[in-house]
Amino acid sequence: MGRAPCCDKTKVKRGPWSPEEDNILKNYVQQHGTSGSWIALPLKAGLKRCGKSCRLRWLNYLRPNIKHGGFTEEEDNIILTLYHNIGTRWSVIASQLPGRTDNDIKNYWNTKLKKKLSQPPAAAASYLHSRYDNMLPYFPKASQIPLPRLMEVPENVENGSYDHPLFVSNISPSISNNANGSSSTTTTMSWSTNGSVEDDAFLVDLGSELFPYDDHLNAFGDLYSNLGYNSLPNVISNVSDEHEQQSMMYRSLRY
DNA sequence: AAGCTTCACAACCGCCTCGTA
DNA sequence: TTACGAGGCGGTTGTGAAGCT
């Protein structure tokens, strides 16, 4: 026996919303809010709709500051990167894109981005490089993974005496060939709190924010260019901790 | 112009989570 | 601790518009 439906579907209207229904719902929510119950709202507002349908209509279409269509390159970047990191958690992805809804992003992914990324490797690479040369690593706010940030070496730092920054001791990429002929690059970055300024280590500041913004990303780009790489990594795939030295793995775009 | 196919996106379905009694 | 209901979410479907033959 299945779960009881949230409303009597024989007594509620279904399908597309009319402008009149939109007005009723919009006016009611703006004046009274949801009163803590979407289920009870249609009755109070005078709508012959399921409460869930009202909630969805409001969240995805009627609430203020909703944006539809016209995704920017930056939004593409964020969606692609987060999808790579966390999969189909559309609500989390939407939380990083002001004005966008999970439904909108899901539709956009299913109709546009997914198709572009399923193109043959050469075409996909061309598309990615043309669109995402400035791809930046975004991560969900809930992530516990700190992002390293380059900083100037304070004068008083001597062999790890400074307790907050870390010393990057190694960045090593490795390329693996996939069965379908494409390849992927995995880069491991290692650091410790006991580095030395003199031994060509890089000093990074973990900072306190969990969500990286431009300053983090620019700094990380600097770090990479200093090492002779010309593309930014975009995915943190693993974090390990062994012998006081930590490693973070980044995987570059498939190409 | 008509019929068919593809695309875009709104809306629904049903499962899962969480708060509360 | 358990049961229940509402909200949240991701997957899927329905439908109108646009494009193609």
Side-chain angles (χ1 to χ4, degrees):
Chain A
M1 192 171 148
R3 185 185 186 84
C6 64
C7 57
D8 186 343
K9 299 197 185 307
T10 64
K11 293 180 180 173
V12 297
K13 187 183 169 191
R14 299 169 69 186
W17 281 64
S18 68
E20 291 75 22
E21 288 176 307
D22 281 348
N23 278 333
I24 293 171
L25 178 59
K26 196 172 182 178
N27 290 336
Y28 185 88
V29 174
Q30 285 177 340
Q31 286 177 24
H32 305 96
T34 64
S35 305
S37 172
W38 281 107
I39 298 300
L41 187 145
L43 191 63
K44 293 178 184 173
L47 285 165
K48 289 181 166 42
R49 289 277 182 173
C50 172
K52 276 190 165 190
S53 179
C54 292
R55 175 183 164 273
L56 216 59
R57 185 65 181 171
W58 171 258
L59 291 177
N60 288 338
Y61 202 83
L62 297 177
R63 74 183 153 103
N65 304 320
I66 290 285
K67 288 191 279 186
H68 292 286
F71 280 79
T72 65
E73 288 185 22
E74 186 184 6
E75 287 175 318
D76 279 11
N77 294 344
I78 295 170
I79 295 168
L80 275 165
T81 306
L82 283 173
Y83 180 86
H84 210 116
N85 283 327
I86 62 176
T88 61
R89 295 173 64 189
W90 305 117
S91 59
V92 174
I93 296 173
S95 71
Q96 306 303 329
L97 297 169
R100 299 294 186 187
T101 69
D102 53 354
N103 207 40
D104 231 14
I105 294 167
K106 181 171 54 181
N107 284 330
Y108 183 57
W109 173 266
N110 285 328
T111 58
K112 300 263 187 67
L113 292 179
K114 187 168 71 177
K115 288 176 185 170
K116 282 173 178 165
L117 291 181
S118 63
Q119 291 170 340
S126 172
Y127 170 75
L128 287 170
H129 286 301
S130 66
R131 290 276 280 173
Y132 306 115
D133 272 355
N134 297 317
M135 177 169 278
L136 304 173
Y138 285 83
F139 305 96
K141 286 177 179 173
S143 169
Q144 295 302 304
I145 303 170
L147 189 72
R149 170 165 43 185
L150 267 186
M151 59 180 290
E152 291 187 9
V153 179
E155 289 184 1
N156 63 345
V157 173
E158 289 182 11
N159 295 326
S161 63
Y162 193 71
D163 62 359
H164 196 51
L166 300 177
F167 294 86
V168 175
S169 56
N170 183 50
I171 294 187
S172 56
S174 64
I175 299 174
S176 57
N177 295 314
N178 302 323
N180 64 4
S182 64
S183 63
S184 59
T185 302
T186 300
T187 302
T188 302
M189 186 170 93
S190 304
W191 67 87
S192 74
T193 55
N194 300 315
S196 163
V197 180
E198 285 75 33
D199 66 3
D200 287 337
F202 291 87
L203 187 64
V204 297
D205 178 9
L206 286 179
S208 57
E209 294 178 37
L210 295 177
F211 187 67
Y213 286 100
D214 287 357
D215 58 338
H216 300 67
L217 306 171
N218 292 336
F220 198 60
D222 291 344
L223 174 61
Y224 249 58
S225 62
N226 285 343
L227 287 162
Y229 301 114
N230 58 11
S231 64
L232 275 174
N234 75 317
V235 175
I236 288 181
S237 61
N238 186 35
V239 174
S240 64
D241 182 352
E242 43 183 301
H243 311 303
E244 296 183 353
Q245 186 172 76
Q246 301 176 51
S247 294
M248 235 183 226
M249 296 180 70
Y250 297 84
R251 183 166 296 130
S252 72
L253 295 171
R254 283 172 189 278
Y255 59 89

